[in-house]
Structure formats: C-alpha cells, structure tokens
C-alpha cells in the first residue's frame, strides 16, 4: 500500500513539470512598459531596462514584470512558454535547494537531533546518509507527504494562477512571521536570487562529493 501511494504521488507531482504539461505563454502574457513590482534599487537590477550580458540582446519576450528578470534568456524559452509556470517552477526548486544546502551542511558538520545516530549511524557522507534514509523508509515518507501537499495544494494553486486568478508565482499565503509586511518586493528578489545560487551550490556540492568522496571545503 505504501509503495503504491508513493508511486502515485511521484507520478502526479512529476506530471505537473513534464514537457506535455508545459503551458504556452502566448495566451496569458501581458505586456508592460517596465518593472511594476520589483523596486529593489529603483528597479535598476531587474526589469525591462536590464540586460545582464551586454553581448546578448535582451529578448523582447521578457516584459520586465517578473521578480528576478535580468534579461537573460539565450534559448528563447520566454518566447513560447508561459513564464508564470516557469517562475513557479524556479521558485519551488530554489526553495528546495536552499533547504537542501542547509541540510547538507548540517549533516556534513555533524549537527543531528538526539537519537539520530542510533538509527542512521554516525556517517557524514551524504550518499551513505541518503541510502540509509531510503532503506529506513524516511525518503519514502518525504516523497509521499510532499507529493500529497503538491497534489492537494500546489497544483490547484498553480492551475488557478494560469487561469487568471491573479495569484503571483510562489505565493501560498504562508507568512506566519509577517515578514512580507515591509520591503516585500526586495525580499521577493532576495528569495529568487538566493534560490538560484542554492541550486548551483547544491549541484556543486553533490558533484564534489561524488568525485572527491566529500563535500569540498568541509570536514
């Protein structure tokens, strides 16, 4: 039963990001004259007037209305894909990568809750820890409950956004500490930029561990 539930959650969650589910952007994109929601440094670091790599022309399909818009789209994805969908995927992956980065650091330097060593031993090798978590069923539970949350909350929210509900990508109305009450636009940009950095960092850490046997620069 558990295996069937895990498989169902995995398939349903993966379907949302499969190529066949990728919406085209021509029907829902709205043109704007410039940055409307990004106010960090008066919009100078993002938006319609930004071209982060001068040797490439800024794509006309990037309208300057997205958080983190740096004018970088060498493959022209913004010309055929719905950028709300793409930004939702980027924000989600960035959040996961930030959690993964913190988790890898904690495991490698030996920060653990009491009693964990008796279940997962005292290894600080990220691949050994992963394999033990799979063996003990922890990874299956993570997949099951994250898949459940995505099916029941994530997919309906994204579908409503694509149908014109006005919801912003990545907005799940979750702010128990009230951090969005002040400088919200700047914090949106910070989240996107840190998420991009974390995706690159986690990729590097995993490959270093795979090649060198440990995460480079850590004990």
């Amino acid at each position: 039963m558990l295996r069937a539930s895990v498989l169902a959650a995995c398939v349903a969650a993966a379907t949302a990001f499969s190529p066949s589910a990728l919406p085209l952007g021509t029907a829902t994109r709205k043109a704007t004259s410039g940055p409307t929601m990004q106010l960090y440094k008066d919009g100078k670091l993002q938006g319609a007037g930004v071209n982060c790599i001068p040797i490439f022309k800024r794509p006309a399909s990037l309208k300057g209305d997205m958080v983190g818009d740096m004018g970088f789209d060498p493959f022209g994805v913004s010309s055929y894909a719905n950028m709300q969908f793409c930004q939702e995927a980027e924000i989600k992956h960035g959040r996961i990568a930030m959690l993964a980065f913190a988790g890898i650091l904690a495991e490698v330097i030996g920060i653990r809750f009491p009693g964990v060593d008796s279940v997962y031993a005292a290894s600080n090798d990220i691949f050994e820890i992963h394999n033990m978590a799979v063996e003990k069923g922890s990874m299956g539970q993570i997949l099951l409950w994250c898949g459940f949350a995505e099916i029941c909350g994530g997919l309906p929210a994204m579908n409503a956004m694509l149908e014109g509900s006005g919801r912003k990508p990545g907005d799940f109305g979750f702010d128990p500490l009230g951090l969005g009450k002040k400088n919200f636009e700047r914090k949106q940009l910070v989240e996107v930029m840190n998420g991009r950095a974390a995706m690159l960092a986690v990729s590097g850490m995993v490959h270093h561990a795979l090649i060198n046997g440990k995460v480079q620069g850590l004990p």
Side-chain angles (χ1 to χ4, degrees), residues 12-81:
T15 301
F17 295 93
S18 65
S20 61
L22 183 64
L24 297 180
T26 54
T28 57
R29 295 285 289 159
K30 295 180 180 179
T32 78
S33 59
T36 56
M37 59 184 296
Q38 310 94 325
L39 304 177
Y40 182 48
K41 292 191 175 181
D42 299 322
K44 294 178 182 178
L45 295 185
Q46 58 181 344
V50 178
N51 191 8
C52 64
I53 302 182
I55 62 173
F56 294 116
K57 183 180 178 180
R58 179 183 170 85
S61 50
L62 288 176
K63 305 301 182 182
D65 58 349
M66 295 189 308
V67 176
D69 179 0
M70 299 295 176
F72 181 76
D73 186 17
F75 296 109
V77 174
S78 59
S79 65
Y80 61 84

Side-chain angles (χ1 to χ4, degrees), residues 50-118:
V50 178
N51 191 8
C52 64
I53 302 182
I55 62 173
F56 294 116
K57 183 180 178 180
R58 179 183 170 85
S61 50
L62 288 176
K63 305 301 182 182
D65 58 349
M66 295 189 308
V67 176
D69 179 0
M70 299 295 176
F72 181 76
D73 186 17
F75 296 109
V77 174
S78 59
S79 65
Y80 61 84
N82 186 301
M83 292 308 291
Q84 286 185 313
F85 178 92
C86 293
Q87 190 176 27
E88 177 91 9
E90 180 188 38
I91 291 172
K92 282 186 178 180
H93 283 85
R95 290 170 179 171
I96 292 170
M98 287 187 279
L99 291 172
F101 181 84
I104 290 174
L105 284 181
E107 291 289 357
V108 169
I109 65 179
I111 299 177
R112 294 178 177 85
F113 285 105
V116 170
D117 287 350
S118 63

Side-chain angles (χ1 to χ4, degrees), residues 157-200:
M158 183 169 63
N159 288 335
M161 176 187 68
L162 296 177
E163 292 172 359
S165 68
R167 171 184 176 269
K168 300 297 182 182
D171 182 7
F172 291 96
F174 181 75
D175 186 15
L177 301 179
L179 299 177
K181 294 180 180 179
K182 186 177 180 182
N183 297 326
F184 184 59
E185 291 82 7
R186 183 182 186 279
K187 289 171 182 175
Q188 285 181 301
L189 175 61
V190 168
E191 180 187 38
V192 170
M193 300 300 285
N194 282 316
R196 291 170 179 172
M199 286 187 278
L200 293 172

